Amino acid sequence: MSKRVWALLAATMVSLIYGVSFTIAKDVMPVYVQPFGFILLRVMGATVLFWGISVFGPKEKIALKDFPRIVAAALFGVALNMLTFFKGLSYTSPISAAVIMVTTPIIVMILSAILIKEKIKWHKIVGILLGLFGTGFLILYGKSVGNATNAMLGNLLVFINAVSYGFYLIVVKKLMDKYNAFTFVKWIYTFGLLMVLPFGWNEYQAIQWQNIPVTILWEIVFVVVFTTFFTYLFNLVSMRELKPTTVAVFIYLQPLFATIFAMSLGKDHLTWVKIVAAVFIFIGVYLVTKKKS
């Protein structure tokens, strides 16, 4: 298989893991672990894993002038990204959060055009809009609205999260072109850990491990190992071969995979809305990932 096919598979795996994680994370939060405590747990676990696996990676030295970029990647890709999403989700309804999140590919497309002068082809614009329509359709008509305690603040925080992720994809692309992923990802998470520590420490200390059932402990392990560690690695694999705009469009698959997983557990059922939405999403992703001959 070509490197591009591997990159597309890696990006699909990220969406699949995130889609499954929506259901799993709901089992853990907020009953057993509070949101910021969970973020600290995720970042701490992933930092240990990345430092451990880096022993087997190539022995490269990071230039001192690249550390500000690594700190920026930690801010946009770990700290700001995770904290604003979890906090925003606690204030707004899941439906509003999901609708705002799917604007990410459009934000990335605009930022890529401005910051790295990426030329946006017409089929990518059509693909992003089709995917946006399909995902919006799935979210608006496929799920219940839910409660919102402070919708305006929550929606703003989720939007900041979407913009933050867009900046991260662009910032990390330059590092990918220069170093092997194992060389710098451990540093991104180390700086990210220092950033989330003040926000999550109290909630982390409040975790009552002795009261957590074994099934929930395994779900916490899944979130740390797969949703944090592996998704970050897969994302970096896809970033090496694909443009930020292409990587971002895979976010459209997340609500689709989340719905499929929920249906497999009997928590959701198939409707014509979901079928139509799936068709639009897959056509959109195909158009964006299609390489011009």
Side-chain angles (χ1 to χ4, degrees):
M1 275 197 289
S2 68
K3 286 182 180 178
R4 183 177 172 82
V5 172
W6 277 116
L8 292 170
L9 281 173
T12 306
M13 280 304 297
V14 171
S15 292
L16 179 60
I17 293 168
Y18 276 137
V20 168
S21 299
F22 285 127
T23 304
I24 290 171
K26 273 184 186 175
D27 290 344
V28 180
M29 292 186 306
V31 179
Y32 299 102
V33 184
Q34 290 298 310
F36 281 5
F38 201 18
I39 288 170
L40 181 56
L41 196 59
R42 285 178 64 181
V43 177
M44 206 158 37
T47 304
V48 171
L49 289 170
F50 281 124
W51 275 98
I53 205 167
S54 69
V55 175
F56 306 101
K59 302 293 177 274
E60 290 178 303
K61 199 170 184 182
I62 298 170
L64 210 58
K65 64 181 174 65
D66 287 324
F67 272 98
R69 186 175 285 275
I70 286 172
V71 172
L75 173 66
F76 293 123
V78 179
L80 194 62
N81 182 26
M82 289 188 188
L83 292 169
T84 52
F85 182 70
F86 274 67
K87 201 66 177 173
L89 200 55
S90 70
Y91 287 134
T92 190
S93 63
I95 188 169
S96 300
V99 169
I100 294 164
M101 273 307 295
V102 296
T103 62
T104 301
I106 292 169
I107 293 165
V108 173
M109 185 169 69
I110 294 163
L111 290 174
S112 296
I114 295 166
L115 299 176
I116 57 173
K117 305 291 185 283
E118 184 186 321
K119 287 182 181 175
I120 310 299
K121 306 218 168 42
W122 70 268
H123 66 86
K124 281 198 175 190
I125 296 170
V126 172
I128 283 172
L129 293 176
L130 278 175
L132 181 68
F133 175 78
T135 310
F137 194 56
L138 176 66
I139 293 161
L140 288 167
Y141 296 101
K143 291 184 180 177
S144 57
V145 173
N147 298 319
T149 52
N150 189 342
M152 194 178 286
L153 178 60
N155 291 343
L156 177 64
L157 288 170
V158 174
F159 182 71
I160 290 169
N161 157 72
V163 175
S164 173
Y165 184 66
F167 271 113
Y168 160 73
L169 288 179
I170 292 162
V171 166
V172 86
K173 181 69 176 163
K174 286 270 168 72
L175 292 169
M176 288 300 305
D177 295 339
K178 196 169 180 181
Y179 303 105
N180 184 284
F182 291 108
T183 305
F184 65 82
V185 70
K186 60 182 184 282
W187 287 108
I188 287 179
Y189 261 82
T190 302
F191 287 118
L193 178 60
L194 294 173
M195 291 172 191
V196 300
L197 194 61
F199 295 94
W201 183 245
N202 287 340
E203 289 185 6
Y204 174 76
Q205 281 190 307
I207 300 170
Q208 296 180 320
W209 294 102
Q210 70 279 7
N211 295 335
I212 299 177
V214 175
T215 50
I216 300 296
L217 286 173
W218 279 114
E219 289 184 326
I220 291 170
V221 170
F222 178 90
V223 171
V224 172
V225 176
F226 286 92
T227 313
T228 315
F229 175 71
F230 277 116
T231 55
Y232 219 88
L233 273 186
F234 287 146
N235 236 337
L236 292 172
V237 168
S238 61
M239 284 296 296
R240 187 170 283 281
E241 296 299 321
L242 307 172
K243 290 180 177 177
T245 316
T246 308
V247 174
V249 82
F250 278 85
I251 206 164
Y252 290 149
L253 292 174
Q254 289 178 26
L256 186 63
F257 286 140
T259 304
I260 292 166
F261 184 64
M263 285 192 304
S264 72
L265 295 177
K267 293 181 180 181
D268 206 338
H269 56 277
L270 189 66
T271 62
W272 68 270
V273 168
K274 285 159 191 158
I275 295 166
V276 171
V279 170
F280 275 108
I281 291 166
F282 281 124
I283 293 170
V285 171
Y286 168 75
L287 285 172
V288 176
T289 55
K290 187 171 72 117
K291 202 168 174 70
K292 205 175 176 185
S293 57

